Amino acid sequence: MSSQAKYSQPDENGYYGRFGGAYVPEMLYSNVENLKENYLKIINDESFQKEFNTLLKDYAGRPTPLYYAGRLSEKYGTEIFLKREDLCHTGAHKVNNTIGQILLAERLGKKRIIAETGAGQHGVATATVCALKNLECIVYMGEKDIARQAPNVARMKMLGAKVVPAVSGSKTLKDATNEAIRDWINNPNDTYYLIGSVVGPHPYPDMVARFQSVISDEIRKQLKEKKGTELPGYVIACVGGGSNAAGAFYHFMEDESVQLIAVEAAGLGVESGMSAATTQLGTVGVLHGSKSYVMQTEDGQVVEPHSISAGLDYPGIGPMHANLFATKRAKFMNATDDEAVAAAFELTKLEGIIPALESAHALAVLGKIKFKKDDIVVVNLSGRGDKDMDTYIKKLQS
Ligand SMILES: *Cc1c(COP(=O)(O)O)cnc(C)c1O
């Protein structure tokens, strides 16, 4: 990391440019303050780093491979590498963060872990690490999501978590987040709130980005070994809240020769009214504790987002990404539901890898960029497609 970390780290109040901060109700102030005072001391401690790295290696399965995708490269006339986060334990990058935060919660003396989840991926990753550490785990999930994500609900229960339905609003992720915040307000002493992306009040975005930054740390080393350079021409990642992209971009942000490409979900089309392309549709506002771009009406009501992939179906974006967008350090592109599904089928046929629908959005922009033959392009394959088989099966039958 260069000394002037312009993009990757916030200032002491948690601001990336004009985005971020900690907008929390008074009841949570001391909790968030306590976390802010202690998180860097704890995670930079040698014993923490040792346990974190051991679990990433032996439990989560890191380092994940950087795979040269030969047939995909041929198709797009450039050199494409896939960072295989899909091979992590529990099937996606999310476990990097849950391991880190559980170790932190343990050191803060917390015995009760709460989390929110949309599709259930973050809930499963949280329940997994709580089982490992014998901690009580409560996962808030929209009632509608509980109905449509039955396998992940079953996984969480099998792992010993209590899944609590959020029955207000649209009964999806943002309502589950509201319930989790309410729980934290009511249980400020023994409870740790484990947030699943680079969102929420400071210090969460910075903390989650640091835990996920192992992705770009590995990419640099792996590229050096394979290509003799640590720097690719492009790094491409999908963005829901933005944690896998934050991890894939982190150690490249200050190297301005690396083109960072963030891909949002356009749903049925950016202008269709059924989209989750926050930077294209959002305005500056406060959502879930930080200032960022938010999809909202003129009077500040959050607009319901839509994406075929539950992991990208969020009406906001982390403050680090808001700053990358505002400063143009990263280029923001988007892919529709149909383009993502087509990209998933293409990767499966060409490389024998079934990606998560979220990751397929990142793959879907390969055809929209003019690459040179010797460009090095890294696509962060954030997760595997097992959880999306219902959607893929419907497409096969239609
Ligand atoms: C949750 C999820 C995402 C979106 O979350 P980010 O915080 O934006 O990374 C992307 N890909 C997969 C596979 C996921 O499970």
Side-chain angles (χ1 to χ4, degrees), residues 230-248:
E230 292 186 13
L231 300 182
Y234 297 82
V235 181
I236 306 176
C238 66
V239 176
S243 69
N244 87 89

Side-chain angles (χ1 to χ4, degrees), residues 227-364:
K227 300 296 296 179
T229 173
E230 292 186 13
L231 300 182
Y234 297 82
V235 181
I236 306 176
C238 66
V239 176
S243 69
N244 87 89
F249 294 171
Y250 199 90
H251 292 289
F252 298 115
M253 281 183 203
E254 320 301 337
D255 295 297
E256 306 228 12
S257 71
V258 181
Q259 172 78 264
L260 307 175
I261 298 195
V263 186
E264 295 181 305
L268 302 186
V270 172
E271 304 299 335
S272 67
M274 296 281 282
S275 168
T278 304
T279 59
Q280 307 305 306
L281 299 167
T283 51
V284 175
V286 171
L287 178 65
H288 299 142
S290 66
K291 186 184 278 182
S292 186
Y293 292 102
V294 183
M295 288 169 54
Q296 57 189 339
T297 61
E298 257 170 46
D299 49 1
Q301 283 292 105
V302 174
V303 170
E304 238 12 87
H306 164 81
S307 167
I308 193 169
S309 65
L312 304 185
D313 202 351
Y314 185 68
I317 186 171
M320 172 199 275
H321 294 291
N323 187 50
L324 292 176
F325 174 72
T327 59
K328 299 195 164 64
R329 172 64 189 94
K331 182 172 178 181
F332 279 69
M333 301 180 71
N334 52 75
T336 63
D337 290 354
D338 287 349
E339 289 169 339
V341 169
F345 276 88
E346 179 180 88
L347 184 73
T348 305
K349 290 224 175 84
L350 290 177
E351 300 287 349
I353 298 170
I354 302 179
L357 270 167
E358 290 83 3
S359 323
H361 285 72
L363 296 163

